Amino acid sequence: EIVPVPINTGTLELIAKVPSIRVLFLDYAAVSDAGLFQLYSLGELEALGISATQCTSRGIQGIQRLSKLKFLRCAETQIDDESIVSLSQIPNLEFLDISYTSISATGVKRLVMLPKLRELRVAGIEIPQEIRMRLNADHSNITIVYVSVFGFAGPENRKPRRSAEAGSLNSVLNSALNSATPGQRKKDGD
């Protein structure tokens, strides 16, 4: 049974003691950069949501060692171009949502170079039309979403339609489940 628990930077210390966690959504929680640094021990983590938290580019440094991370949602955070170096250190990142952050068009151009990136969400980031056209032409293997798929215009209206990202999330989750051996699934279910 899944029981919702209030999450804050303090409770992340307990979560970090369970290294087999594969999916962790902290969106809208009272989490700061210090909390993200506590997650370094979650070596099996494949999906992380930190949207609408108090995290900054410094906090992204705390998760750059999560080498199995495929899905990262950090929209509506205080990250900026300083986070690009840390994000580039996550080798298996396939999905990245940086919507409504302070990352620039130049930063977006650097992020599309991530080797395994399949989808990048950049709603609310000012990207000139000519750069958009060039990104789409040069990176046709990546889906770049320029408008909000959550059904809100920006940080002032925080009621996302979570089902809008179900396709990408289900892909990551199914991959994680299919890669586990039956013994691992049983162990994780205990």
Side-chain angles (χ1 to χ4, degrees):
E1 179 179 337
I2 297 176
V3 178
V5 175
I7 302 293
N8 56 43
T9 299
T11 56
L12 288 180
E13 184 177 340
L14 297 173
I15 291 171
K17 292 180 181 180
V18 186
S20 62
I21 292 175
R22 291 186 176 188
V23 177
L24 182 60
F25 292 130
L26 304 169
D27 306 288
Y28 302 93
V31 174
S32 67
D33 293 342
L36 290 184
F37 274 92
Q38 293 179 21
L39 301 180
Y40 73 92
S41 64
L42 301 180
E44 298 300 313
L45 195 64
E46 293 186 26
L48 176 63
I50 57 170
S51 291
T53 62
Q54 296 302 309
C55 297
T56 69
S57 294
R58 172 125 171 78
I60 298 298
Q61 293 173 5
I63 61 171
Q64 74 183 18
R65 292 187 191 109
L66 300 175
S67 62
K68 292 188 178 181
L69 197 63
K70 295 178 183 180
F71 179 100
L72 178 59
R73 185 174 51 217
C74 49
E76 298 182 59
T77 58
Q78 299 172 37
I79 65 171
D80 56 24
D81 285 357
E82 190 178 312
S83 67
I84 303 298
V85 172
S86 297
L87 290 169
S88 298
Q89 299 299 313
I90 305 172
N92 291 304
L93 207 53
E94 296 177 12
F95 174 97
L96 178 60
D97 186 351
I98 56 169
S99 299
Y100 303 103
T101 64
S102 295
I103 291 180
S104 69
T106 301
V108 170
K109 290 188 333 188
R110 290 177 59 199
L111 287 171
V112 296
M113 304 305 285
L114 292 171
K116 294 189 177 181
L117 194 65
R118 293 186 334 203
E119 183 170 336
L120 178 63
R121 294 190 181 173
V122 295
I125 296 176
E126 178 119 4
I127 302 174
Q129 184 63 30
E130 70 180 47
I131 293 176
R132 286 182 185 206
M133 291 173 59
R134 181 43 105 202
L135 288 172
N136 290 336
D138 292 348
H139 304 282
S140 59
N141 59 321
I142 300 173
T143 301
I144 303 173
V145 181
Y146 296 98
V147 296
S148 176
V149 294
F150 293 116
F152 60 88
E156 65 279 354
N157 182 5
R158 295 182 173 184
K159 294 190 182 199
R161 287 192 328 256
R162 301 209 186 272
S163 63
E165 66 192 21
S168 295
L169 177 58
N170 284 341
S171 173
V172 170
L173 295 176
N174 284 334
S175 172
L177 289 173
N178 289 334
S179 67
T181 66
Q184 286 174 314
R185 279 187 230 133
K186 185 176 190 305
K187 180 181 171 190
D188 292 345
D190 290 341

